[in-house]
Amino acid sequence: MAKGAPVAVKGQSNGNPPRRLIIGISGASAVIYGVRTLQLLQHAGIETHLVMSKSAEMTLAYETDFKTKDVRPLASVCHPIGDIGASISSGSFPTMGMLIVPCSIRTMSEIASGVTSTLLTRAADVVLKERRRLVLAVRETPLHAGHLRTMTLLSEIGAVIAPIVPAFYSRPQSVDDIVNHTVGRLLDLFSIETGVVKRWQGGPTPPGD
């Protein structure tokens, strides 16, 4: 959907807190995680506000068959990266918080410094100052000490650092299984149920017990 008034989402009337989440997609590899997040949230009763960096649009072309015009309609509202006057740039616009998936080291570092140059990092800074949940799905390896110090600083000021790490206890059978489970766990951090996470029910009984 083009930039403009958000669509009506069931359950947001009568004074209920808005089920509204900002989704940021930066230029790190694994852009499919951001696309899948938007796809899953379309069926979760969540109003999504998307902001993509220019690098993310390039990565989308490198790594997938999606085009930017395919991704934007997945969100309730899509904001241009340079529109620092957008609704999500203000703390007076209530949201559940923000998920940046994937989150590049550059984006992470800019948020940590507080010197924000785009709507992507400005929106993240607003989420932090309003004490809302900011989840950064960092996608980089290996990490040097500077990266780790930056992550520590972000954690200290309220961000949740959630690197994109696959889980194998769910016995994934495809890349899609891995992507779905990881995105589902990221959305768990906002108490959003997507139905794609295989919940741990305990391991098998050890032999001889």
Side-chain angles (χ1 to χ4, degrees):
M1 179 176 291
K3 178 188 173 187
V7 298
V9 176
K10 185 177 180 180
Q12 290 189 188
S13 58
N14 302 321
N16 292 330
R19 291 180 59 77
R20 178 186 292 143
L21 186 64
I22 305 168
I23 304 297
I25 303 179
S26 76
S29 185
V31 70
I32 187 61
Y33 285 92
V35 176
R36 188 60 45 81
T37 298
L38 292 169
Q39 290 172 331
L40 291 176
L41 288 175
Q42 281 191 310
H43 308 289
I46 304 296
E47 178 185 305
T48 52
H49 286 250
L50 171 65
V51 56
M52 292 180 66
S53 70
K54 296 296 184 183
S55 296
E57 295 180 8
M58 293 173 62
T59 305
L60 188 71
Y62 296 152
E63 296 185 348
T64 77
D65 293 327
F66 289 102
K67 300 185 183 303
T68 305
K69 66 179 182 180
D70 302 320
V71 176
R72 287 173 177 160
L74 297 175
S76 306
V77 181
C78 184
H79 299 279
I81 188 71
D83 185 8
I84 58 172
S87 57
I88 58 175
S89 71
S90 173
S92 66
F93 186 71
T95 68
M96 302 167 67
M98 182 175 187
L99 168 61
I100 302 182
V101 55
C103 181
S104 68
I105 292 296
R106 174 177 177 172
T107 296
M108 178 188 78
S109 301
E110 192 168 308
I111 296 167
S113 74
V115 183
T116 58
S117 62
T118 68
L119 180 60
L120 177 63
T121 51
R122 167 60 186 171
D125 192 62
V126 167
V127 166
L128 284 176
K129 80 180 182 68
E130 297 294 327
R131 304 299 191 267
R132 298 168 188 160
R133 175 146 289 193
L134 173 65
V135 176
L136 305 179
V138 177
R139 172 58 178 82
E140 187 59 88
T141 192
L143 299 165
H144 60 58
H147 298 153
L148 297 172
R149 291 189 188 103
T150 300
M151 290 181 186
T152 299
L153 173 59
L154 283 163
S155 181
E156 289 172 345
I157 62 178
V160 176
I161 308 299
I164 294 175
V165 178
F168 291 95
Y169 65 81
S170 58
R171 302 281 185 99
Q173 300 299 304
S174 66
V175 173
D176 264 358
D177 287 347
I178 293 173
V179 171
N180 287 338
H181 185 88
T182 301
V183 171
R185 292 290 289 123
L186 290 171
L187 293 175
D188 276 351
L189 295 170
F190 296 93
S191 299
I192 298 172
E193 177 57 59
T194 57
V196 297
V197 176
K198 289 188 177 180
R199 306 292 177 186
W200 179 248
Q201 301 297 325
T205 303
D209 287 1

